[in-house]
Each structure stands twice: as C-alpha cells, then as structure tokens.
Amino acid sequence: MRGLAIAAVSAVAIASASSPARSIAPVAAADTARGTAVPGALGADPGIAPTAALRPSAVFNVPSGSAAEQNAIAHHVNQLTAGAPRGAVIRIAVFMFTSQAFARTLIDAKKRGAHVQLVVDASTRDNDAYRRVERALGTSRKSSSWVVACHKGCVGDTIMHNKFFLFSRTGRARNVVVQSSANLTTRNRVNAWNNAFTISDARLYNAYVRYFGALAARHHEQDHYRVTRSGRVTAYTFPRAGDSAKTDTLYELLGHVGCASGTAVRVTTFNLSRTDVAERLWSLSHQGCDVRVIYTNLSDRAREILEQDGGPDLLSSHYVYDDEETGDEVDAFAHSKYVLINGTYAGRPRKVVITGSPNYTEPALRHNDETMITIEGADIYGAYQGNFTRLWNAAQSHFQLRGSVPDPG
C-alpha cells in the first residue's frame, strides 16, 4: 500500500496541465497516475486553517491516480471542517455518509465549540459512522448542533440527494460553500470519479443556508426552485415543478449554446435518462458543436436518441476487472455530474461549467432535494476540462485503479 499523502488539487494546477479544450488525446499511463500536490498540504495540523486565503477552486478525486488524488475531495472537506473555529457554524447536506474519519472530525468540531448541523437521507442511518455522529450531536434542532435524517426527501418526495458543505468560518475565510457530487463513502473515494467546487461568497452562502433550513424543517413542497446569482456563479435548488422541457433547467441552459463556431460541449454524468436533455445534446452535435458524453448509466431511450446519425461521441465510464494482486473484482465509474461549454454561449464566447448533485433524470429534476450551479471563467473551466480529459483516457483504456486507500483524517 502506498503511503497516504493527501493533496487538495487546485483549479490552477489542473488547468495548467490540461490539454486544449478540443483535444482528447490519449496520455501515458505514468501521466495518468501522477498527482498534483499543493505545497504545505501534507501533514497539516487539523486545528490550523487549511488555506490562508480561499479563492474559487475545483477539487477532483481521481480513482486511477495516487492515494492523495483518490482522497482529494474527502481531505478537502475534512480540512475545511477541521479549520472551523469555536462559534463557527458547519452545515452539511449529504445523501450517503459512512466515513469514520469525517465522523471524528465532526465530533471534534463540536467539542471545540463549533456548531455542527447535518442533514442526510434516512437510507444512510444504518452504519457506525452515522450513529456515532448522531449520538454526539443529538437530533433536537433546539440545540446548536444536531442531525436530521429525511425519509423520502426533506423538501421533495423521493430522496435527499444533496452533497454540499457550508462553513460560516474556516481558517480566515467566511461564508464558504462547497458544492460536490461526492458522497462521504469509501466507494465514492476509491471507485468513482467526483468533483467539488469551493467558493467564499456571502450571497451564495446565504442562499444555501436558506435552502438548508428548508431541508432541516422537512416540509414537503412540490416546488422549491430558487435561482441565486452572484458574480460569475449561479445556484439552483430543486425540486422544480413542471412537466415540459420549458421547466427543465439543464435543457434551458443548453439552449444558450451556439454551434456556428464549433463550440465544444463536454458531459460527464452518472445517469442520463431525460429525453429532452438527450435530444438537446444530439441537436447541438447535429448543428456542428463538438459534443462528447461520458456516462455510467444511460437509459435505452436516451441512448437511442444520442446514437442517431450526427450525434455526440459516447463513452461508458463503467468497467470491471479482477485485481491482479487480490483477485477481487473492481469496478470504476463516473459519479460526477457536469457539463462544460467552451465557445458561443448566450451570444458571445464563454467558458462555462454546470455542476452539482443532480443526475440528468426526471426524479432529480422533479422530486429529489438537489442543488446545481453554473460557473463562468477560464480558470474553473480549465480545471474541469483537464479532469474530463483524464477521465476519458482512463475509461477508454480501462486503466486499473490503485486499490483501496485509508479514509483520510
């Protein structure tokens, strides 16, 4: 087992190493496995601020990479949580939670006087990590720290599928939002490709806090669609009521893409089954956009649409093999949900990232508790494009993963 060297991979580091937006050229296996470390990240004192100044950034876990890269997202949120001082409020909404290391970090945060509030889907309650946190925090919302488990959704009526982390303070930063695709589970660290975007922004933070309060209150609504814009980032909360493409947020956003200049559109999704979205992606490809889709699950109807003549390049991220050392069956897959746009968007040249917790399914849009964001800018786009290139190469070559690594503390 290689040593546990933890590194949060910055947007700048990945963007500088990525290939041009239109290039998906294969890379050597040695390059695929190479990690990118932030100086000073190793062996950090959990009581010390994880960053001196928090800038918008993207972090990715890379199952085909080093132990540090597999643990990058888990370590990132662990450091932010450990950096929250006495009196700070930590609010977390996550679908699945089994991490013993993060359980310890949450309990330690409460012991030093931070207020820790956790919302999960009730399906994750039957594990030791969750039970430890529930015992330590309690379930009464009259206290400053607590846990809420939602059965059949908190606001929506199906599942609480969010994956976001909010910090009133961590280190020197305030009003921190982390929007991720990752659950706090071993499988999401070791087998699944995920992403997380972090920003310090009061307007976005307050919008997420309001949504978090609605989740914790557990008052079911058919529609909790809210849109909050702050600078180059826009946040969307779900479920969204409606029954047509006009009320499909991703479909609407893709409608701003223009293909006259050969715009590149990159999609990574765990599950794509909404036919309106599939038809929009096919249409963009048919119009001349360079569209590539990495998927883990694709419905029969969506596949039928996308595989029509003139449609996008499709690549399954899910592959299975037997580990040569242990003989165990190992599977790798993409769990990220993001769309990258490089070219004409809303009438002018832009680089845009659309990411969050929702899969591209009907329940994610109409029934689940979910959050999604759009981010504009070359720096964040470059980070995601580099991740897409790396995932495409790994999925295409069935690159073997590095095996299970310890839960990062």
Side-chain angles (χ1 to χ4, degrees):
M1 181 73 67
R2 67 179 64 202
L4 182 60
I6 303 298
V9 185
S10 72
V12 175
I14 297 180
S16 64
S18 62
S19 49
R22 295 300 298 272
S23 174
I24 307 289
V27 296
D31 293 329
T32 304
R34 185 181 299 127
T36 307
V38 176
L42 307 183
D45 183 338
I48 300 300
T51 54
L54 189 64
R55 295 179 296 174
S57 64
V59 176
F60 308 90
N61 75 304
V62 182
S64 63
S66 65
E69 290 178 306
Q70 289 186 6
N71 279 330
I73 294 174
H75 181 66
H76 178 62
V77 297
N78 200 69
Q79 277 199 313
L80 291 171
T81 304
R86 179 180 180 83
V89 183
I90 302 166
R91 299 176 176 94
I92 297 169
V94 63
F95 175 54
M96 296 295 293
F97 173 57
T98 63
S99 170
Q100 291 284 3
F102 197 64
R104 290 193 298 272
T105 302
L106 291 176
I107 293 168
D108 288 345
K110 185 192 179 217
K111 287 179 178 177
R112 69 173 173 271
H115 310 305
V116 182
Q117 301 169 3
L118 177 66
V119 173
V120 300
D121 189 79
S123 62
T124 196
R125 295 178 67 184
D126 189 24
N127 71 82
D128 291 340
Y130 172 83
R131 285 192 291 263
R132 286 180 59 201
V133 172
E134 185 181 67
R135 285 194 299 269
L137 304 185
T139 58
S140 173
R141 291 179 58 225
K142 294 180 180 179
S143 302
S144 60
S145 294
W146 41 261
V147 176
V148 165
C150 295
H151 180 64
K152 292 187 176 179
C154 297
V155 175
D157 61 11
T158 304
I159 57 174
M160 204 301 296
H161 194 248
N162 281 295
K163 300 105 166 52
F164 65 79
F165 306 78
L166 311 177
F167 305 90
S168 65
R169 285 183 294 157
T170 176
R172 299 179 189 176
R174 293 178 180 269
N175 303 319
V176 175
V177 176
V178 180
Q179 175 62 67
S180 184
S181 66
N183 293 305
L184 296 173
T185 65
T186 299
R187 184 168 168 79
N188 263 219
R189 287 190 300 109
V190 176
N191 298 80
W193 296 69
N194 279 290
N195 75 94
F197 171 73
T198 303
I199 189 170
S200 174
D201 182 287
R203 182 173 174 80
L204 285 174
Y205 174 82
N206 288 331
Y208 270 84
V209 167
R210 288 192 295 272
Y211 182 58
F212 183 85
L215 296 174
R218 290 182 286 189
H219 296 315
H220 292 283
E221 304 174 37
Q222 186 179 7
D223 184 88
H224 198 92
Y225 186 63
R226 309 285 189 273
V227 181
T228 303
R229 295 179 178 86
S230 185
R232 59 176 176 152
V233 180
T234 303
Y236 308 83
T237 63
F238 299 89
R240 182 178 186 181
D243 57 8
S244 71
K246 292 181 179 179
T247 54
D248 184 326
T249 305
L250 182 58
Y251 179 88
E252 289 180 299
L253 294 173
L254 289 171
H256 296 306
V257 177
C259 296
S261 59
T263 298
V265 179
R266 303 287 182 256
V267 181
T268 298
T269 178
F270 178 71
N271 196 345
L272 197 170
S273 62
R274 292 210 302 272
T275 55
D276 289 330
V277 172
E279 287 171 352
R280 180 74 91 186
L281 291 171
W282 179 87
S283 177
L284 291 174
S285 179
H286 192 67
Q287 292 172 49
C289 280
D290 177 10
V291 183
R292 304 189 183 193
V293 179
I294 301 174
Y295 66 90
T296 299
N297 299 291
L298 197 62
S299 72
D300 291 342
R301 180 55 184 150
R303 183 185 298 277
E304 182 180 327
I305 293 167
L306 293 169
E307 288 184 344
Q308 295 177 102
D309 289 345
D313 292 334
L314 301 177
L315 178 63
S316 172
S317 69
H318 191 198
Y319 54 94
V320 181
Y321 62 91
D322 291 330
D323 186 276
E324 295 179 357
E325 294 183 4
T326 66
D328 295 336
E329 185 177 88
V330 180
D331 66 327
F333 60 98
H335 192 254
S336 278
K337 311 95 168 48
Y338 62 71
V339 177
L340 314 180
I341 301 160
N342 181 17
T344 304
Y345 186 80
R348 64 182 180 86
R350 300 188 187 187
K351 296 179 187 292
V352 179
V353 175
I354 306 168
T355 189
S357 64
N359 292 304
Y360 306 146
T361 65
E362 194 72 13
L365 176 65
R366 308 296 184 196
H367 300 282
N368 296 351
D369 304 322
E370 310 267 11
T371 42
M372 187 174 79
I373 56 174
T374 62
I375 312 144
E376 186 173 348
D379 55 346
I380 301 302
Y381 174 88
Y384 277 87
Q385 195 277 330
N387 179 254
F388 184 92
T389 300
R390 200 166 182 185
L391 171 54
W392 183 280
N393 292 336
Q396 197 170 49
S397 65
H398 288 194
F399 190 90
Q400 295 200 1
L401 310 187
R402 298 302 180 185
S404 182
V405 296
D407 199 359

